[in-house]
């Protein structure tokens, strides 16, 4: 059993003397662990967030397997070292992938969305909004997507302004206004990618994504949102970027 693919490093842990278990998220094979030899050359390559060319091999498919020497393609982790908020965003995104996706199941669209997010992180003004879109994409990839395309009450596709916390479906401003106290405000940029960001939009998007991620992905496992995600919200809030 073997495969070769580009992959995003999720992390690595010690595994006996002189070895590590590296976990990656590959485009065509999903989240995989494998043994690599530890050493000075491997440490910078195995920084979480880096993109590598990986070759995995095992005698049987159910075995842990081994990686041939990983080849560094993009050193994203190094590029973000001087930006603690971006690093918090990277940590949160990778933690969600590790915690929510099943092993060895491919999610190519989710992989592509994660690449877009990581590549946007040097651009301080735009990546938090892209991050919120990534979280909604995670929900969709795992079968828990929200319906933000039309009003659940009227069927209209214009003037969508609210999201129901019960159903995850959108509503127009008029249809939802009588119940606005129990609905999420729907930021325009989540419906129209060309909409300009306004004050509070990113915070509202994070509130929607966080609510449904917690309830649809983690509550069923008896867990809350990962701590890395909570730290990201705190850092963005303290910096006035929500």
């Amino acid at each position: 059993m073997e495969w070769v693919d580009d992959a995003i490093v999720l992390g690595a842990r010690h595994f006996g003397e002189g070895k590590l278990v590296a976990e990656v998220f590959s485009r065509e094979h999903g989240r995989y662990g494998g043994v690599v030899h530890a050493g000075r050359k491997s440490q910078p390559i195995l920084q979480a967030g880096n993109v590598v060319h990986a070759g995995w091999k095992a005698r049987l498919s159910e075995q842990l397997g081994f990686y041939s020497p990983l080849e560094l393609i993009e050193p994203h982790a190094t590029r973000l070292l001087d930006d603690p908020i971006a690093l918090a965003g990277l940590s949160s995104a990778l933690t969600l992938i590790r915690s929510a996706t099943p092993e060895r199941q491919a999610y190519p669209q989710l992989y592509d969305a994660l690449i877009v997010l990581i590549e946007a992180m040097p651009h301080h003004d735009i990546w938090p909004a892209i991050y919120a879109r990534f979280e909604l994409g995670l929900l969709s990839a795992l079968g828990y997507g929200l319906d933000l395309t039309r009003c659940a009450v009227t069927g209209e596709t214009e003037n969508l302004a609210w999201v129901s916390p019960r159903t995850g479906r959108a509503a127009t401003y008029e249809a939802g206004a009588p119940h606005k106290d129990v609905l999420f405000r729907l930021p325009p940029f989540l419906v129209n990618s060309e909409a300009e960001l306004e004050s509070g939009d990113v915070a509202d998007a994070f509130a929607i994504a966080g609510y449904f991620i917690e309830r649809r992905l983690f509550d069923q496992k008896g867990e809350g949102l990962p701590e890395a995600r909570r730290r990201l919200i705190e850092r963005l809030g303290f910096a006035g970027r929500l």
Side-chain angles (χ1 to χ4, degrees):
M1 302 297 298
E2 59 184 302
W3 55 259
V4 177
D5 200 359
D6 290 345
I8 300 165
V9 177
L10 298 178
R13 67 181 189 273
H14 290 288
F15 184 73
E17 186 174 353
K19 295 179 181 179
L20 298 168
V21 172
E23 188 174 27
V24 305
F25 183 59
S26 70
R27 190 179 192 280
E28 302 299 333
H29 299 86
R31 185 166 61 87
Y32 253 81
V35 177
V36 298
H37 292 289
R40 286 181 296 178
K41 291 184 178 181
S42 64
Q43 288 181 351
I45 295 175
L46 291 173
Q47 294 297 310
N50 284 346
V51 177
V52 298
H53 190 64
W56 181 91
K57 188 174 184 178
R59 189 171 63 86
L60 299 174
S61 61
E62 63 268 21
Q63 292 180 326
L64 177 60
F66 290 82
Y67 284 116
S68 55
L70 300 173
E71 301 174 24
L72 182 63
I73 297 176
E74 294 289 347
H76 292 298
T78 302
R79 294 169 182 163
L80 300 177
L81 284 178
D82 296 329
D83 188 342
I85 298 180
L87 283 176
L90 178 62
S91 175
S92 179
L94 299 183
T95 298
L96 288 175
I97 293 292
R98 295 180 73 177
S99 303
T101 61
E103 287 188 293
R104 304 187 178 191
Q105 184 166 330
Y107 296 96
Q109 291 182 327
L110 183 57
Y111 176 91
D112 292 342
L114 183 55
I115 288 290
V116 169
L117 171 62
I118 294 173
E119 291 180 344
M121 283 183 161
H123 306 284
H124 297 185
D125 295 336
I126 65 172
W127 74 256
I130 296 174
Y131 182 99
R133 284 183 170 276
F134 161 77
E135 289 194 334
L136 293 178
L138 173 67
L139 282 165
S140 181
L142 296 176
Y144 298 101
L146 310 187
D147 183 359
L148 307 181
T149 60
R150 64 183 65 251
C151 177
V153 180
T154 67
E156 295 179 32
T157 59
E158 302 293 330
N159 198 28
L160 300 175
W162 314 100
V163 177
S164 167
R166 184 174 64 85
T167 65
R169 301 183 66 186
T172 63
Y173 182 85
E174 292 78 8
H179 312 286
K180 63 181 182 180
D181 291 343
V182 296
L183 300 176
F184 289 110
R185 174 182 171 270
L186 176 59
F189 82 91
L190 292 182
V191 181
N192 177 9
S193 61
E194 298 181 358
E196 292 188 8
L197 285 175
E198 299 180 0
S199 177
D201 279 358
V202 171
D204 287 337
F206 269 102
I208 293 170
Y211 178 87
F212 286 102
I213 285 175
E214 184 167 22
R215 280 152 184 78
R216 296 185 174 182
L217 300 183
F218 290 100
D219 274 1
Q220 60 183 334
K221 298 190 296 183
E223 302 173 5
L225 282 173
E227 185 60 31
R229 209 271 187 180
R230 299 182 189 276
R231 288 196 298 268
L232 170 61
I233 299 299
E234 290 178 357
R235 285 183 174 273
L236 288 170
F238 289 147
R241 293 170 61 183
L242 286 177

